[in-house]
Amino acid sequence: MFDIGFSELMVIGVVALLVIGPERLPKVARTLGHLLGRAQRYVNDVKSDINREIQLDELKKLQTQVTDSARALEDSVRKEYETARSVVEAPAQEAVAGLEAATKQVAESAPALTETLNKPAA
């Protein structure tokens, strides 16, 4: 992150010792260490929040893709069902119409047939 070498840290330490003094330097160093630790934890928390948001966004995209695929599959199945239904339904309706016509014809010829059967034999 910062390109600070050992020699620069030594210079900063000597200047801090001269400016702050030997009595207060340990307390200042400890406070500075606590503040740096807090800053690192804060940065790590922000990084993890960003990663969670990215993963959540990816999951939402995946969910929309799956939903779209499911809708497309449902539409495809519905179209195939309607096609198969029309293929089966048309011959079935023709068969029903034929049976109704045959039933009607039998019903019309039934009285004449019963009269013929009920006639006494001569």
Side-chain angles (χ1 to χ4, degrees):
M1 190 153 92
F2 299 110
D3 195 23
I4 298 177
F6 183 71
S7 59
E8 285 103 5
L9 286 176
M10 289 298 294
V11 171
I12 291 171
V14 169
V15 171
L17 181 63
L18 292 175
V19 172
I20 296 173
E23 296 90 26
R24 296 188 313 179
L25 185 62
K27 185 177 180 181
V28 170
R30 197 170 340 161
T31 305
L32 186 62
H34 286 301
L35 291 176
L36 285 175
R38 285 184 185 174
Q40 284 179 343
R41 283 190 297 276
Y42 177 74
V43 168
N44 286 336
D45 287 344
V46 169
K47 282 182 183 179
S48 65
D49 287 345
I50 290 172
N51 285 336
R52 260 187 257 124
E53 289 295 323
I54 289 171
Q55 289 174 350
L56 183 63
D57 187 43
E58 289 174 358
L59 286 174
K60 285 181 181 178
K61 286 179 184 177
L62 181 64
Q63 181 184 16
T64 56
Q65 288 176 353
V66 168
T67 304
D68 292 342
S69 296
R71 284 188 184 138
L73 179 64
E74 182 183 5
D75 290 341
S76 173
V77 167
R78 186 174 287 127
K79 286 178 185 175
E80 289 297 322
Y81 170 75
E82 291 297 326
T83 303
R85 183 177 174 186
S86 65
V87 166
V88 170
E89 199 171 80
Q93 287 177 349
E94 289 175 9
V96 167
L99 284 174
E100 286 176 353
T103 305
K104 188 183 242 184
Q105 188 179 19
V106 168
E108 289 174 356
S109 64
L113 183 60
T114 44
E115 285 179 19
T116 307
L117 291 175
N118 288 336
K119 276 189 185 180

